[in-house]
Amino acid sequence: MLEYIKGIFGRYCHVRIANNGQVALEMARRFSPQLIISDVMMPILDGFGLVAAVKADPLLQAIPIILLSARAGDSNRAEGILCGADDYIPKPFSSRELLARANLQIQLGKRKRDMEYRFQERTKEVQILTDLSPVGLFRVDNEGNMLQCNDRFRELSGLGLARESQWLDFVHQDYHSQVGVALNEALQKQHEGSVDFVFSNGIWVKCSFRWWKHGLVGTVTDMTVTRLYEESLTKRADEAEERRIEAEERRRGQELLVDVTSHELRQPVSAVINCAGVVLGNLSRLRKVLGECEEQKQRFEVTRELLSEIDEDLESLNAIELCGIAQGHIVNDILTLSRMQLHMLTLQESTFPFIREVRQVCSILFNEMRSKGIKYSLIFGDSIQRLGIKYVSADKIRFGQVIINLLSNAIKFSQISTEKSISITVDVSRHPPTDDSCKYPADIADNEEPIPIGRRVPIQVYVSVKDSGPGLQPKDLELLFQRFQKGTNSEVVFGGSGLGLFVSRKICDLLGGKIEARVSKQ
C-alpha cells in the first residue's frame, strides 16, 4: 500500500513514507508536510491516534489529514471525520479520486495557512496599535467584568500587574459608584456613553464606551492637563473677581472714609465755632463794660451776670479742648490707616518710663471723663513692682494710640449708662496668655522672679479697659475690630469713625500682641 501511494503521488510531489503512526508523527514534526495520508490500522500509533496528536500540536494542527480505511459505511466515515481528520476515504479507491481529494485538501490547507498567517499578522498589527495607542483601551463582558486592557490603561489607572477585574478598585472612591452606574446602564440599555472621573493616583480621564453583543468596548483619555488648565482658568477668573471686589471695596472704603471723616470732623468744628462765638461775645461785652468804667473813672463791680458769663466761657473753652482732642484722635487714626494701606506703617522703638507714660496717656482723656461725669480709676498691678519694671522699650506713640482708642470707646459707651464708670488695669508678665485670649496669666505671673537691673528681657504688657456701657450683641463683637464698623446693641447706635479699634488691632499685630473685646454677663 505504501509503494502504491508513493507511486500515485511521486510524479507530482515529494513523498515521505513512515511504517507506523509514531514514526509519521516524528517525521511530521521534523519536515512539516503539506498533507498527511494515513491508514487507520497501524502499529504502535493508529490513524486516530496520529490525527489526535497532530491536531494537538500548535505547529502541526493546520496540516490536512486524509484517513484511509478498509471499513466502509457512513458510521465509519463519521467516526473518522469526528476524530479530526479532514477527509475519510474507504478502500478500495481509485488513484484519480485520491489525487483529486488530496489536491483539494492541499489547496484548502494552503488557504487555511494563508488565512492563519493573515490573522496572525492582523493580530500583531492590532496589538502594536493597542500598545502604541495614546489612550487606554479596555473590553468589558456583559456581566460588567473587564476582560482585557492595554498598557496605557494600566499606566493611567495605576493598575500595574494587578488583574483587570480589579480595575474599579483603582477608581477614586468619590467616583466609584458613578462609574459603575454608567457602565451598568450602558450594558442594560445597550447604548454608548461616557463618564469623566479621576483615578486614585490623581489622573483625570474621560471614559467613552460603546455596546456590542459581547459587552462593552471603551477608551480612557488622559484629561489631567486639560483639567488643570480649566482649573487654572477658573482660579484666575476667581482671583480676577476677588481683585475686582477688593478694588470695589477699596473704592467704597475710600468714599466711606471721606464721608465718615467729613461728618466726624464737621461736628467738632461746628462745636468749636459755636463755643468760640459764645466766648467772643462774652469777652466783647466784658471789654465794653471795662472800657466804660475806665472812661467814667468808675469802680468795676462783679455781678452775677458777669460770673455766669465767665462760667459759660469756661464751659465753652472746655468743649473746644474736647473737640480738639476728638479731632486729634480722628486725624491720628486716618494717618495710621493711610500708612497701613501704603505699607508704610513702621515701629519706632524708644525707651521710656513705663508707669509715667501710661499715666500721661490716660490723663489726656481724664478731663473729658470728668466733664461727662464718668468715674474712672487707673490701677497698676503688683506684677510691675514684683518684676521691677521701670522702663520699657517699644513704640511709645503707637502704644499710647492703642490706649487712647480704648479709652475713647469706653467713654463713648459709658456716657449713656446710669452709673458711668471706667476702670483701667495694667499688668506685666514674662509669659503670654495661657490660652487664645488676652487674659493676664495670674497663676504663672505671681511666681515670676524679678528682672535683674540693666538686663533687657521680653515682657508682655496687659492693659484692660472696663466700662459701664450697655454692652454689645455677640454678632457685633465679631465685627468690632473691622474697618468702619461701629458698636451697636439692640437699642443704641454709637457714633465714631469706625477706625479706632481697627487701627488698634493692626498696631497690636505689629507690636506682637493681641486685642479682644468681651461682654460681662451681669
Side-chain angles (χ1 to χ4, degrees):
M1 175 61 72
L2 293 177
E3 294 298 329
Y4 176 68
I5 298 297
K6 183 176 181 181
I8 295 175
F9 289 95
R11 294 175 294 175
Y12 307 102
C13 59
H14 182 72
V15 180
R16 295 185 184 275
I17 298 175
N19 295 322
N20 58 66
Q22 184 62 42
V23 175
L25 179 61
E26 293 174 358
M27 292 177 64
R29 289 171 176 170
R30 181 179 178 184
F31 299 107
S32 185
Q34 294 186 356
L35 175 64
I36 297 176
I37 300 176
S38 173
D39 200 341
V40 174
M41 302 300 294
M42 291 188 299
I44 303 177
L45 184 66
D46 62 5
F48 295 135
L50 176 62
V51 171
V54 170
K55 297 302 181 182
D57 191 329
L59 299 177
L60 304 177
Q61 59 185 0
I63 300 174
I65 302 176
I66 298 177
L67 287 181
L68 304 178
S69 176
R71 296 181 296 179
D74 295 336
S75 60
N76 293 323
R77 181 184 295 273
E79 182 182 3
I81 298 300
L82 290 174
C83 76
D86 295 279
D87 202 352
Y88 185 92
I89 302 176
K91 301 175 184 179
F93 50 82
S94 65
S95 59
R96 295 186 62 182
E97 179 184 6
L98 181 59
L99 284 171
R101 292 195 178 187
N103 181 63
L104 175 62
Q105 293 301 327
I106 289 174
Q107 298 303 320
L108 291 176
K110 288 182 179 179
R111 291 188 179 183
K112 187 176 181 180
R113 286 191 295 273
D114 182 63
M115 291 177 63
E116 182 69 21
Y117 174 79
R118 290 173 180 266
F119 176 77
Q120 294 295 337
E121 290 298 312
R122 183 57 57 89
T123 300
K124 291 181 181 179
E125 180 181 352
V126 172
Q127 186 63 45
I128 292 173
L129 292 175
T130 300
D131 293 339
L132 297 179
S133 174
V135 300
L137 304 175
F138 66 92
R139 186 164 67 90
V140 176
D141 63 16
N142 286 310
E143 301 300 324
N145 301 314
M146 181 174 289
L147 302 178
Q148 187 179 4
C149 65
N150 67 344
D151 293 340
R152 180 58 173 163
F153 184 95
R154 292 181 176 274
E155 178 184 352
L156 292 175
S157 63
L159 190 61
L161 300 177
R163 297 176 60 184
E164 293 88 346
S165 58
Q166 299 174 336
W167 78 280
L168 276 176
D169 296 336
F170 292 83
V171 176
H172 194 279
Q173 59 181 2
D174 294 343
Y175 293 87
H176 194 280
S177 60
Q178 180 180 346
V179 174
V181 169
L183 294 178
N184 290 332
E185 183 178 352
L187 287 171
Q188 293 173 3
K189 296 183 179 181
Q190 300 182 358
H191 64 65
E192 60 185 29
S194 64
V195 60
D196 294 347
F197 63 92
V198 61
F199 286 110
S200 299
N201 57 11
I203 295 180
W204 280 92
V205 296
K206 182 178 185 62
C207 179
S208 302
F209 40 84
R210 180 173 297 178
W211 180 87
W212 69 314
K213 63 180 180 178
H214 298 296
L216 296 176
V217 175
T219 63
V220 288
T221 305
D222 188 356
M223 300 292 290
T224 303
V225 175
T226 303
R227 190 84 178 195
L228 292 176
Y229 178 69
E230 292 174 352
E231 290 179 354
S232 66
L233 290 180
T234 303
K235 183 178 180 180
R236 285 200 293 267
D238 293 341
E239 292 175 349
E241 180 64 16
E242 290 178 359
R243 289 194 296 270
R244 186 193 67 79
I245 294 175
E246 289 177 358
E248 182 67 19
E249 289 180 351
R250 284 195 299 270
R251 184 186 66 79
R252 292 178 181 176
Q254 292 172 352
E255 294 176 354
L256 183 59
L257 177 61
V258 173
D259 293 341
V260 169
T261 304
S262 301
H263 175 73
E264 294 298 325
L265 291 178
R266 189 184 301 114
Q267 284 185 333
V269 169
S270 299
V272 168
I273 293 173
N274 292 334
C275 292
V278 171
V279 174
L280 179 61
N282 291 338
L283 288 178
S284 297
R285 285 191 296 272
L286 178 61
R287 173 68 177 82
K288 182 179 179 181
V289 172
L290 291 175
E292 291 175 353
C293 291
E294 176 66 23
E295 292 176 357
Q296 299 176 6
K297 304 298 181 179
Q298 295 179 355
R299 182 181 177 182
F300 178 74
E301 296 182 0
V302 178
T303 63
R304 289 185 177 276
E305 182 181 0
L306 178 60
L307 293 175
S308 177
E309 289 180 354
I310 292 176
D311 290 339
E312 188 178 15
D313 291 343
L314 292 174
E315 291 178 359
S316 297
L317 291 174
N318 182 54
I320 291 173
E321 180 186 15
L322 296 178
C323 290
I325 293 173
Q327 285 182 314
H329 295 167
I330 295 173
V331 170
N332 285 336
D333 289 340
I334 293 174
L335 291 176
T336 303
L337 177 64
S338 300
R339 290 191 179 98
M340 285 191 297
Q341 290 178 337
L342 296 174
H343 304 288
M344 296 175 58
L345 184 61
T346 57
L347 300 178
Q348 301 295 329
E349 184 176 315
S350 62
T351 302
F352 54 90
F354 180 62
I355 294 179
R356 189 179 72 182
E357 181 63 25
V358 173
R359 289 186 186 276
Q360 185 174 346
V361 170
C362 293
S363 65
I364 296 175
L365 294 175
F366 282 168
N367 189 37
E368 181 179 357
M369 295 181 192
R370 286 192 294 267
S371 67
K372 293 182 178 180
I374 301 175
K375 297 179 181 180
Y376 60 87
S377 63
L378 174 58
I379 303 171
F380 290 95
D382 296 337
S383 58
I384 299 175
Q385 183 176 1
R386 183 169 56 252
L387 291 178
I389 302 297
K390 296 184 180 298
Y391 292 87
V392 296
S393 295
D395 191 321
K396 182 173 66 174
I397 302 299
R398 300 304 173 196
F399 175 69
Q401 188 176 358
V402 173
I403 296 178
I404 289 174
N405 283 336
L406 292 177
L407 292 178
S408 298
N409 276 272
I411 293 172
K412 179 173 59 180
F413 279 77
S414 297
Q415 62 187 354
I416 66 170
S417 60
T418 304
E419 296 183 1
K420 306 174 184 179
S421 65
I422 295 176
S423 174
I424 307 108
T425 305
V426 182
D427 281 293
V428 295
S429 174
R430 291 188 179 186
H431 298 87
T434 55
D435 51 24
D436 292 335
S437 69
C438 298
K439 186 178 179 181
Y440 172 65
D443 295 340
I444 300 177
D446 290 345
N447 299 319
E448 291 179 327
E449 297 293 332
I451 298 176
I453 298 176
R455 182 179 176 184
R456 292 176 63 90
V457 177
I459 63 170
Q460 305 283 329
V461 177
Y462 295 85
V463 179
S464 171
V465 177
K466 183 178 180 180
D467 62 69
S468 59
L472 297 174
Q473 299 295 328
K475 62 179 181 180
D476 296 318
L477 288 176
E478 300 175 359
L479 304 175
L480 193 59
F481 294 98
Q482 295 185 15
R483 184 168 48 183
F484 303 122
Q485 295 295 330
K486 302 178 183 181
T488 64
N489 61 18
S490 58
E491 299 177 354
V492 181
V493 177
F494 299 95
S497 64
L499 291 176
L501 293 181
F502 170 76
V503 170
S504 298
R505 181 172 65 85
K506 293 295 185 181
I507 293 175
C508 286
D509 292 341
L510 285 175
L511 292 172
K514 292 175 61 177
I515 188 171
E516 67 175 2
R518 286 182 290 178
V519 178
S520 299
K521 297 181 180 179
Q522 295 180 353

